[in-house]
Amino acid sequence: MSAVAPATVRPVEPATEVDPWVQPFARLESGALFPQQPAWVFPLRKAGLARFAELGLPTLAHEDWRFTNVAPLKGLPFAPTLAAPTQRLADGELDARPFARLPGDRLVFLDGHFVPGLSRVGTASGGGVVTSLAAAFRTHAGLLERHLTRYAHGSANPFTALNDAYFTDGALIHVPAGRVIEHPVQLVFVASGEEEGRAQHVRNLILAEAGSQFTVVEHYLGRGTATTVTNAVTEVVAADQVVMDHLKFQDESRAAYHFAAVHADLGRASQVNLHSFALGSRVSRHNIHTALNGEGLECVLNGLYLTDGDQLADHYMVVEHAQPHTASHEYFNGILEGRSRGVFHGRILVRPGAQKTDAKQTNKNLLLSDDATVNTKPQLEIYADDVKCTHGATVGQLPPEQIFYLRSRGLPLETARRMLIHAFAGEIIDRVRCAPLREELDRLVWDRLEQDTQIQVGPHA
Amino acid sequence: MNTTSILDIKNLHAGVAGKAILKGISLTIGPGEVHAVMGPNGSGKSTLAAVLAGREGYDITAGEARYLGQDLLELDPEERARAGLFLAFQYPVEIPGVNSTYFLKSALNEQRKHRGLPELDAIEFLKLVKEKIKLLDLNEDLLKRAVNVGFSGGEKKRNEIFQMAVLDPTLAVLDETDSGLDIDALRVVSEGVNKLKAPGKAQLVITHYQRLLNHIVPDYVHVLMEGRIVRSGGKELALELEERGYDWISRELQLAA
Ligand SMILES: Nc1ncnc2c1ncn2[C@@H]1O[C@H](COP(=O)(O)OP(=O)(O)O)[C@@H](O)[C@H]1O
Ligand SMILES: [Mg+2]
């Protein structure tokens, strides 16, 4: 590469551009930061770093990032939270937070480091594992070596590569064959938000053995006001006949940048639902990659984004039908206010031989202000001939004929609007299979809508 | 003005985006009366119903409509409903995600609240529903669904009259409730409507065909053509129309002109 690049053509030299994200890696070279980690981990990190350096930070010129500008990250320091934070989470600090009252296992992390005092584990015993990744490097090293980074590997997403390099902690969930876990396993990731540029890199691995049934919630929240970065990667392996809901609830601070990716490898006759609720962050990007690797499986990608102000919520999906007789259904609804933006990118890839694929995709958007915008982009790549693929997108206001119908029965305009907005969000919430979780989500989303929207609450409501 | 009338429309002109649709309607409906408005497609029947119910998007260019002595056209649609006006839609609207029972209970209680009546609790409401739903021979399971979603055409129409039965309006405007109904359903719906007749209440039945009026017998029949009421009479006018068709009136009007 030429040392003197003409400034007009190439404003930034890639080699120097990634420097701020590459340099902190030197702290990992000595091995002092994660002394417990087996020897095979460091090369994975190093490979991730190299891949990131190669990919660079995405720009708007990149097809997958056309609508989501991450350039402001360049104006932030990059401070990966490699060492445990000096701050503490107070004992009752999470009590008033969402899902706090749901029973079941819970792992709590602050800036990507495990907080044992607020965590509880026990219900998934009987051969199962719910533990922090850091601990699992000691107790389940073999399992991790077999799986960690295997499913997200090769991703073209620079943030995933960066996560490989810098991940600190996260969860290992391993559910044995046939086991049914009643209560959702909660993973709570708190960003301290007290220092500009703090970047937590969390990594989760969920291994569901054949026929197991359970729900996992990844809950991201922030407590400070500084501009922080979250970069999370979750790998999911669902064996045959697994019935699982994975739900991400993202409600970080309005200053935060949130990047996350879920890579799910799905087995025969499994029924996996991957949900994404995006409420917080200034900019959020959630990637879901599913590999439909077993006949007769059905997978649902289900999401709701609520944005206002200058928020941007980006969902990027890749559904890969790799075997015959698989079904995928994507349902994403957005409710947008202010000058906020929603992005939906849904790629459906049907591999040769994946006959009888049934792929359905819908993205519906409700614009509650004139300045909100949505970019929705379906992308179908079909290399088999006997398939059914449909997609549809809508962007609009509340249907006036529905509003009139409700008002004509005596309901005030505000109530009519609220009913319709609630119904729109409810379509998504209703697909969460775990009832207590669904009910809590309904309440949370509704509270948020009441707070954010210009809708006046009637005197009796 | 007749203060004892329920609805009093005078010289009403209305249109959409500069296009005149209603061109001087006058109509007075008294308590206990059933009026029929008949007219060919496109004559303005649904526009009249929509303007009365308060749908947005119409320009009222002249005339007035008074309901129980108040200026109807001043009121929001919900205020009209609370004052006892009900429109059975020609095309009932599907509302995905809004449960039928929840919707109707909210609507009823909203109306009751505005009339100073106590709101009904879930049990009282269910009792009322069970009583009224029999009237329409409607499957109770429909009420577990979203409003009009997955209803057949006939079920939608019966659901309109079921809502009317629950809300018990003072003035019901039925816009082509007969269209899309087979003869049995037509009988059930008409019987339902007839049972809701009461001395202090009135009905405005809009239809294209005379057959509905065999079941809902009007006191007055008005013929609407090109936005004007061109003829009014008793129920025998409907029969005459059935026999001779709308063309007969057109021709007579042309002769007179
Ligand atoms: N929203 C509208 N915009 C434009 N034209 C309309 C609208 N509503 C009704 N019209 C026109 O007004 C006339 C009367 O329509 P309508 O009231 O629906 O008649 P009817 O119910 O008697 O069939 C028709 O020519 C129709 O096309
Ligand atoms: Mg009509």
Side-chain angles (χ1 to χ4, degrees):
Chain A
M1 199 169 296
S2 152
V4 201
T8 48
V9 180
R10 213 179 249 282
V12 189
E13 270 288 332
T16 56
E17 193 199 43
V18 294
D19 248 19
W21 289 274
V22 169
Q23 250 146 32
F25 196 77
R27 291 170 61 198
L28 290 167
E29 300 274 2
S30 73
L33 273 171
F34 299 109
Q36 312 280 4
Q37 279 176 9
W40 53 266
V41 181
F42 188 71
L44 289 182
R45 293 186 181 280
K46 213 161 171 157
L49 189 76
R51 181 126 175 92
F52 174 77
E54 185 188 315
L55 293 166
L57 264 198
T59 68
L60 296 178
H62 193 300
E63 190 53 31
D64 291 347
W65 293 84
R66 258 172 70 195
F67 305 109
T68 299
N69 185 12
V70 300
L73 291 180
K74 291 182 199 158
L76 270 184
F78 177 65
T81 60
L82 296 174
T86 49
Q87 302 167 40
R88 292 273 164 270
L89 280 178
D91 273 353
E93 190 163 335
L94 297 177
D95 289 359
R97 296 290 194 158
F99 317 118
R101 279 183 304 279
L102 294 182
D105 286 1
R106 180 173 88 173
L107 303 182
V108 177
F109 301 84
L110 176 63
D111 284 348
H113 293 269
F114 187 50
V115 183
L118 290 182
S119 302
R120 51 171 195 257
V121 171
T123 56
S125 57
V129 177
V130 174
T131 185
S132 80
L133 201 64
F137 277 122
R138 278 173 273 128
T139 56
H140 297 83
L143 206 56
L144 292 180
E145 188 170 6
R146 272 201 302 287
H147 295 287
L148 200 68
T149 74
R150 298 287 178 250
Y151 309 93
H153 180 76
S155 167
N157 182 350
F159 291 98
T160 300
L162 202 61
N163 182 287
D164 282 352
Y166 289 113
F167 73 84
T168 51
D169 206 348
L172 168 67
I173 299 174
H174 181 206
V175 183
R179 178 147 168 82
V180 178
I181 303 179
E182 184 189 352
H183 303 298
V185 177
Q186 292 186 55
L187 311 177
V188 184
F189 300 99
V190 185
S192 67
E194 284 173 24
E195 183 197 353
E196 291 288 299
R198 267 183 97 79
Q200 56 171 348
H201 293 74
V202 306
R203 187 81 183 207
N204 303 302
L205 176 63
I206 301 170
L207 302 172
E209 301 285 358
S212 58
Q213 302 189 10
F214 60 101
T215 297
V216 176
V217 177
E218 283 183 38
H219 177 191
Y220 293 85
L221 66 155
R223 54 172 196 171
T225 51
T227 306
T228 55
V229 179
T230 292
N231 180 0
V233 175
T234 298
E235 291 172 287
V236 177
V237 187
D240 297 351
Q241 290 176 307
V242 162
V243 178
M244 178 190 149
D245 274 37
H246 174 274
L247 188 146
K248 186 173 142 224
F249 185 81
Q250 186 274 109
D251 195 16
E252 293 203 49
S253 94
R254 288 300 172 88
Y257 283 76
H258 178 98
F259 304 95
V262 172
H263 291 259
D265 183 296
L266 309 179
R268 191 176 51 80
S270 60
Q271 290 177 39
V272 172
N273 291 356
L274 301 165
H275 310 276
S276 171
F277 289 80
L279 283 71
S281 298
R282 158 106 172 66
V283 172
S284 68
R285 159 76 166 227
H286 187 46
N287 282 29
I288 303 178
H289 300 254
T290 55
L292 280 55
N293 285 332
E295 293 197 15
L297 74 77
E298 201 179 321
C299 139
V300 174
L301 283 67
N302 184 53
L304 179 68
Y305 40 101
L306 310 180
T307 56
D308 73 354
D310 58 359
Q311 284 184 289
L312 181 151
D314 178 348
H315 281 91
Y316 178 98
M317 256 70 56
V318 181
V319 175
E320 180 188 348
H321 290 262
Q323 292 290 324
H325 294 281
T326 57
S328 67
H329 301 299
E330 293 169 67
Y331 308 96
F332 280 77
N333 284 11
I335 302 175
L336 301 100
E337 287 202 272
R339 286 171 293 115
S340 69
R341 292 195 294 136
V343 179
F344 175 88
H345 182 132
R347 179 168 165 222
I348 295 172
L349 172 60
V350 181
R351 294 274 185 214
Q355 304 298 3
K356 304 290 179 193
T357 283
D358 179 4
K360 191 164 75 190
Q361 179 188 94
T362 54
N363 173 224
K364 298 198 282 186
N365 295 281
L366 199 50
L367 302 187
L368 298 181
S369 87
D370 293 339
D371 298 328
T373 55
V374 166
N375 295 102
T376 178
K377 185 181 162 204
Q379 192 185 338
L380 308 182
E381 285 171 58
I382 302 171
Y383 302 103
D385 47 25
D386 186 10
V387 303
K388 205 168 82 193
C389 290
T390 61
H391 66 90
T394 60
V395 179
Q397 285 84 40
L398 291 169
E401 65 282 2
Q402 293 185 10
I403 291 185
F404 176 62
Y405 191 83
L406 296 172
R407 295 178 82 188
S408 79
R409 300 306 185 238
L411 296 169
L413 174 61
E414 299 74 32
T415 306
R417 293 191 58 196
R418 293 216 313 263
M419 271 189 184
L420 296 178
I421 294 169
H422 197 172
F424 188 78
E427 286 177 16
I428 300 300
I429 295 169
D430 282 349
R431 289 196 190 90
V432 175
R433 284 183 286 215
C434 170
L437 186 58
R438 188 171 63 237
E439 283 153 22
E440 174 128 14
L441 280 164
D442 192 55
R443 198 176 52 69
L444 287 168
V445 166
W446 195 230
D447 285 354
R448 185 60 54 91
L449 284 167
E450 293 275 306
Q451 255 175 52
D452 288 354
T453 55
Q454 318 293 287
I455 302 169
Q456 298 300 308
V457 178
H460 61 290
Chain B
M1 197 199 86
N2 180 359
T3 48
T4 64
S5 67
I6 286 182
L7 181 67
D8 207 354
I9 306 175
K10 281 209 183 81
N11 189 35
L12 184 66
H13 287 70
V16 172
K19 178 189 176 195
I21 302 174
L22 301 181
K23 301 163 186 167
I25 305 273
S26 294
L27 180 64
T28 301
I29 300 179
E33 295 175 356
V34 176
H35 288 240
V37 168
M38 298 184 69
N41 280 335
S43 56
K45 302 185 298 296
S46 290
T47 302
L48 176 61
V51 166
L52 291 177
R55 187 198 289 268
E56 283 169 13
Y58 296 94
D59 307 317
I60 315 287
T61 48
E64 62 167 3
R66 302 196 78 82
Y67 169 76
L68 298 173
Q70 348 167 36
D71 182 353
L72 182 66
L73 304 177
E74 282 276 280
L75 303 179
D76 285 335
E78 57 268 38
E79 292 172 321
R80 301 180 196 203
R82 292 172 201 150
L85 187 137
F86 179 89
L87 169 63
F89 284 60
Q90 180 175 3
Y91 304 108
V93 180
E94 294 187 11
I95 309 185
V98 175
N99 173 270
S100 292
T101 305
Y102 169 70
F103 152 68
L104 191 54
K105 180 166 173 276
S106 309
L108 177 65
N109 279 335
E110 193 69 45
Q111 296 202 16
R112 289 178 65 90
K113 199 174 52 148
H114 282 269
R115 291 175 200 149
L117 298 169
E119 297 186 20
L120 297 188
D121 64 25
I123 295 167
E124 293 164 323
F125 179 72
L126 212 66
K127 193 162 157 267
L128 178 71
V129 160
K130 282 193 189 303
E131 177 192 317
K132 301 295 183 188
I133 205 158
K134 269 189 268 166
L135 218 58
L136 277 307
D137 195 22
L138 202 61
N139 185 350
E140 227 174 288
D141 284 347
L142 290 181
L143 297 178
K144 295 181 186 146
R145 295 199 201 147
V147 178
N148 290 320
V149 175
F151 288 38
S152 71
E155 283 169 342
K156 285 181 183 167
K157 294 304 186 78
R158 274 185 285 168
N159 187 36
E160 293 292 288
I161 305 306
F162 163 67
Q163 291 178 31
M164 170 183 164
V166 169
L167 297 174
D168 192 23
T170 303
L171 174 64
V173 179
L174 312 185
D175 189 3
E176 295 210 28
T177 298
D178 51 331
S179 66
L181 292 184
D182 63 29
I183 192 71
D184 291 329
L186 184 65
R187 193 161 20 78
V188 170
V189 163
S190 307
E191 278 168 16
V193 172
N194 289 334
K195 285 195 189 117
L196 299 171
K197 259 183 87 166
K201 299 175 185 296
Q203 298 172 348
L204 176 59
V205 181
I206 293 172
T207 182
H208 177 89
Y209 299 106
Q210 186 273 340
R211 65 169 193 165
L212 176 67
L213 305 181
N214 291 332
H215 302 273
I216 302 174
V217 180
D219 301 300
Y220 301 93
V221 174
H222 311 275
V223 180
L224 183 65
M225 294 184 80
E226 290 179 27
R228 291 186 185 87
I229 290 181
V230 294
R231 189 142 313 183
S232 293
K235 58 175 178 278
E236 60 295 339
L237 178 56
L239 291 171
E240 203 169 352
L241 266 178
E242 174 78 354
E243 219 167 87
R244 307 175 69 175
Y246 288 108
D247 289 349
W248 151 66
I249 294 193
S250 310
R251 278 193 302 275
E252 287 206 352
L253 289 172
Q254 275 158 17
L255 287 180

